[in-house]
Amino acid sequence: MKQLTREEVKRHNIEGDLWIIIDAKVYDLSKFAAEHPGGKITLLHKDIAGQDATDAFYTFHRHNVLQPNLQIGVVEGESARMVIRNAGELSKGPHTEPSWLQDGFSSPYYKDSHRRLQKAMRKFTEEVIYPEAQEFEISGKRVSQRVLDLMAEMEIHAMRLGPGKHLLGRKLMGGIVEPEEFDYFHEMIVTHEVIRMKARGYGDGLLSGSVIGLPPVLNFGSEELKARVIPEVLSAKKFICLAVSEPGAGSDVTAMTTTAEKTEDGKFWIVNGTKKWITNGTFCDYFTVGCRTDGGYTVLLVERTEGVETKPIKTTYSASAGTAYITFTNVRVPVENTLGPEDAGLLVLLSNFNHERWVICCSSVGAQRMAVDEALKHFNQCLVLKKPFEAELPVIRQKLAQMIARVESLQSWLENVTYQMNHMSYREQSKRLVSQISLLKVQCTRYAQETAHDAVLMGGMDFMSQTGLGKNAEHYRSTVPFDALLGGAEDVLADLGVRQAMNKFPENVRL
Ligand SMILES: Cc1cc2nc3c(=O)[nH]c(=O)nc-3n(C[C@H](O)[C@H](O)[C@H](O)COP(=O)(O)OP(=O)(O)OC[C@H]3O[C@@H](n4cnc5c(N)ncnc54)[C@H](O)[C@@H]3O)c2cc1C
């Protein structure tokens, strides 16, 4: 690259002959000036044209706005100072990553295999998933088979279901983690990293339905059903979702009205009813369905067949999620597709909730970390805010303090619960961790909403939802309420958490 002196650059400071320096690199903006969204007048300002515009540039732009083809040289004897994170790398700066990933910190929870997985997952997400996620979030297109196949090759669909027999014999992330050593911290890492695609609707479209719809098959399906369905879903050849909620049965699942009645020969169930808000429902082949039966509730694996109709629901996030309204009209389901005991389906559904809610906590904490990362970096690079920030805006420091404190405390609670999960059977988790996980989820989603509100610090730039410095903060703010509802509404979970704790409270304890 051509070496240019600062004196030489200064001579190119008029319309039609306009050079600037950004981080020791020289750019020729003579032609680009007319296309600059802020107008050529901004670039022709005496502090910019022919000058070092590094601080001004980073006050208004992300690094990726720079067009490498406009670079004509480098400043003689100088080298770039800015630290730009490449795909796959860790963020620099205190609190921008959980402490176990920060230089000089240690943790009792993570081993080398966790670190290897984190590194590989971040690279995969940012290189393979992120580009498509950003595009499809806006277009509403469904995740491509190409991305799903690449994820299947790395066994990411399988890892998202957590530890268990379904991992045995699989080469996790190309073999960097042994299936036998895979634990809930590995799963937490997978969730933390996958959400770095920063696209909430597309993110749910990336087979969230199978994260909640497949466990009942894994835990309660017959051997024949498992042998057929699990490989198809984990290889992304077929898709599954969880269909429990109905127009009149959300928080209270016992209000569901979808019925399943046995045929006289006892060989089939006949299913009738409607389900609403079902993630991935528009494109699923299998539906894990909660039904009302003679003696209670029963969960069935319904296949897409005659009588099953799915329609997209327009929601406030991307259509990529495939959120559906589903109708079942006289659908014949073989009795072999019953998941768990007949009439005891509530047990099947409730035991599924712990894991679903814990996964939501993992993604919520990861998303709050990214919001903190963005806000801290923004203040580090924004000249407009930096000066008053240092001296006159303690209120902004207070906001940042709260954001940091929230995410650090949630991370610690989440790690503690995850550690407990590693040391309990699935059954014990259902017995002992309902209160912990319910209340952790309440705290995660309340804090998430406060942090999303505080993270909107960039003025008008926060409302440029598709480009610009504030795009991630704005996307987060507009989609954060979903987590407060999914897997159980906040109020309901708060109530459940305390009721569960009180149920276990020794009756004779006194002050
Ligand atoms: C985008 C999206 C995706 C979804 N995906 C799925 C899916 O894949 N599968 C599926 O089965 N469902 C899915 N759902 C449904 C979701 O689980 C329900 O929306 C949720 O359970 C809440 O039910 P509801 O919307 O009927 O609200 P309601 O139950 O009517 O609750 C409304 C409000 O009333 C209050 N409330 C209700 N009951 C109580 C109580 N006992 N104590 C205190 N307050 C109470 C709460 O504040 C709550 O916010 C999805 C929903 C959305 C929005």
Side-chain angles (χ1 to χ4, degrees):
M1 203 41 94
K2 204 168 168 190
Q3 303 269 327
L4 297 159
T5 63
R6 284 181 174 260
E7 286 312 310
E8 200 171 346
V9 175
K10 272 185 191 157
R11 288 198 286 275
H12 301 271
N13 62 354
I14 55 171
E15 190 167 354
D17 182 15
L18 176 58
W19 293 5
I20 62 167
I21 298 167
I22 297 173
D23 198 20
K25 297 186 182 84
V26 182
Y27 294 85
D28 181 349
L29 304 186
S30 307
K31 289 199 182 116
F32 170 78
E35 296 162 29
H36 183 236
K40 59 185 173 191
I41 190 97
T42 323
L43 299 179
L44 288 167
H45 190 277
K46 67 176 178 42
D47 293 339
I48 305 290
Q51 304 297 318
D52 189 325
T54 308
D55 286 343
F57 174 81
Y58 284 109
T59 290
F60 298 108
H61 303 294
R62 286 176 185 271
H63 178 77
N64 63 6
V65 167
L66 278 174
Q67 296 179 19
N69 60 322
L70 298 181
Q71 188 186 348
I72 54 167
V74 291
V75 180
E76 195 177 74
E78 295 183 21
S79 43
R81 283 186 314 111
M82 300 303 156
V83 178
I84 308 300
R85 197 180 67 82
N86 294 311
E89 291 177 355
L90 291 175
S91 240
K92 295 264 187 308
H95 307 293
T96 59
E97 299 278 1
S99 58
W100 72 277
L101 291 173
Q102 296 257 342
D103 279 347
F105 283 76
S106 28
S107 163
Y109 300 126
Y110 303 91
K111 298 179 295 206
D112 281 352
S113 65
H114 296 108
R115 292 177 192 281
R116 285 196 299 272
L117 183 64
Q118 183 281 324
K119 209 169 168 191
M121 274 302 306
R122 181 156 307 182
K123 196 160 162 26
F124 184 91
T125 302
E126 295 188 335
E127 287 180 354
V128 179
I129 307 178
Y130 179 82
E132 178 173 294
Q134 293 299 303
E135 190 188 328
F136 287 14
E137 180 75 7
I138 296 164
S139 69
K141 270 171 78 175
R142 171 184 156 189
V143 54
S144 69
Q145 194 61 40
R146 182 188 71 85
V147 166
L148 294 176
D149 287 346
L150 288 168
M151 288 174 77
E153 208 179 304
M154 291 291 127
E155 302 292 2
I156 296 173
H157 306 304
M159 289 192 284
R160 291 179 76 194
L161 295 175
K165 283 194 205 141
H166 63 284
L167 295 181
L168 297 180
R170 295 180 185 271
K171 276 182 95 179
L172 308 182
M173 220 59 206
I176 60 173
V177 183
E178 292 301 323
E180 293 77 9
E181 66 178 335
F182 191 93
D183 64 12
Y184 286 105
F185 281 104
H186 292 102
E187 188 191 353
M188 182 174 101
I189 289 166
V190 172
T191 308
H192 271 176
E193 295 302 331
V194 164
I195 60 150
R196 295 186 83 92
M197 76 188 84
K198 299 176 184 161
R200 189 64 176 77
Y202 175 94
D204 278 356
L206 202 63
L207 311 192
S208 280
S210 84
V211 176
I212 52 180
L214 193 58
V217 180
L218 271 175
N219 296 314
F220 297 98
S222 68
E223 291 308 317
E224 185 279 329
L225 207 59
K226 286 196 269 192
R228 179 163 62 91
V229 175
I230 294 169
E232 289 173 338
V233 174
L234 296 187
S235 60
K237 301 221 166 12
K238 293 216 171 169
F239 307 103
I240 188 167
C241 60
L242 181 72
V244 178
S245 304
E246 298 183 3
S251 300
D252 181 10
V253 291
T254 62
M256 66 185 150
T257 56
T258 295
T259 54
E261 287 172 29
K262 280 241 180 91
T263 51
E264 272 183 18
D265 59 10
K267 289 186 176 162
F268 291 91
W269 294 101
I270 303 295
V271 179
N272 280 289
T274 59
K275 296 287 175 184
K276 198 172 179 188
W277 302 299
I278 307 307
T279 303
N280 303 170
T282 55
F283 57 83
C284 272
D285 306 284
Y286 297 117
F287 306 83
T288 299
V289 184
C291 302
R292 198 176 266 273
T293 40
D294 269 352
Y297 303 88
T298 304
V299 181
L300 304 178
L301 183 75
V302 178
E303 308 194 22
R304 195 181 274 272
T305 179
E306 203 183 330
V308 177
E309 201 186 338
T310 58
K311 292 184 207 139
I313 297 180
K314 286 196 174 121
T315 64
T316 51
Y317 72 177
S318 175
S320 288
T323 313
Y325 192 84
I326 306 177
T327 51
F328 299 106
T329 314
N330 293 324
V331 180
R332 281 166 77 84
V333 179
V335 285
E336 291 78 22
N337 284 23
T338 308
L339 303 176
E342 218 173 293
D343 295 331
L346 277 187
L347 187 119
V348 176
L349 295 177
L350 296 181
S351 72
N352 203 27
F353 271 138
N354 253 358
H355 184 256
E356 174 181 1
R357 289 168 186 158
W358 172 81
V359 170
I360 296 171
C361 294
C362 294
S363 60
S364 174
V365 175
Q368 289 180 60
R369 180 70 62 181
M370 286 192 293
V372 169
D373 178 29
E374 292 257 330
L376 291 175
K377 281 187 188 145
H378 177 67
F379 272 100
N380 197 42
Q381 74 187 60
C382 180
L383 266 193
V384 179
L385 291 167
K386 208 168 186 178
K387 215 168 159 208
F389 174 56
E390 280 169 5
E392 294 156 32
L393 279 182
V395 67
I396 305 274
R397 276 201 296 272
Q398 286 303 316
K399 279 191 179 183
L400 291 173
Q402 294 301 318
M403 289 168 71
I404 292 168
R406 284 185 210 116
V407 76
E408 294 295 4
S409 58
L410 288 177
Q411 176 85 28
S412 297
W413 192 0
L414 176 63
E415 285 175 344
N416 182 300
V417 167
T418 307
Y419 183 78
Q420 307 310 325
M421 287 166 70
N422 272 349
H423 291 83
M424 287 182 196
S425 67
Y426 200 66
R427 190 177 280 270
E428 270 181 298
Q429 289 174 28
S430 305
K431 234 168 73 186
R432 296 185 198 280
L433 290 181
V434 175
S435 156
Q436 288 271 344
I437 291 179
S438 305
L439 296 178
L440 173 60
K441 182 175 177 279
V442 172
Q443 194 77 338
C444 281
T445 58
R446 288 214 174 133
Y447 274 1
Q449 293 183 67
E450 290 173 33
T451 285
H453 175 80
D454 287 349
V456 176
L457 292 162
M458 303 177 197
M461 277 188 283
D462 283 315
F463 296 91
M464 296 164 69
S465 59
Q466 292 179 18
T467 57
L469 275 180
K471 79 173 222 177
N472 293 333
E474 165 53 17
H475 182 70
Y476 184 47
R477 187 198 58 77
S478 64
T479 54
V480 75
F482 282 99
D483 286 341
L485 194 64
L486 304 180
E490 266 177 14
D491 308 323
V492 179
L493 287 192
D495 192 54
L496 172 71
V498 176
R499 271 192 291 117
Q500 286 281 325
M502 293 316 293
N503 282 348
K504 294 198 164 44
F505 219 84
E507 197 274 323
N508 54 352
V509 168
R510 299 290 179 271
L511 281 174

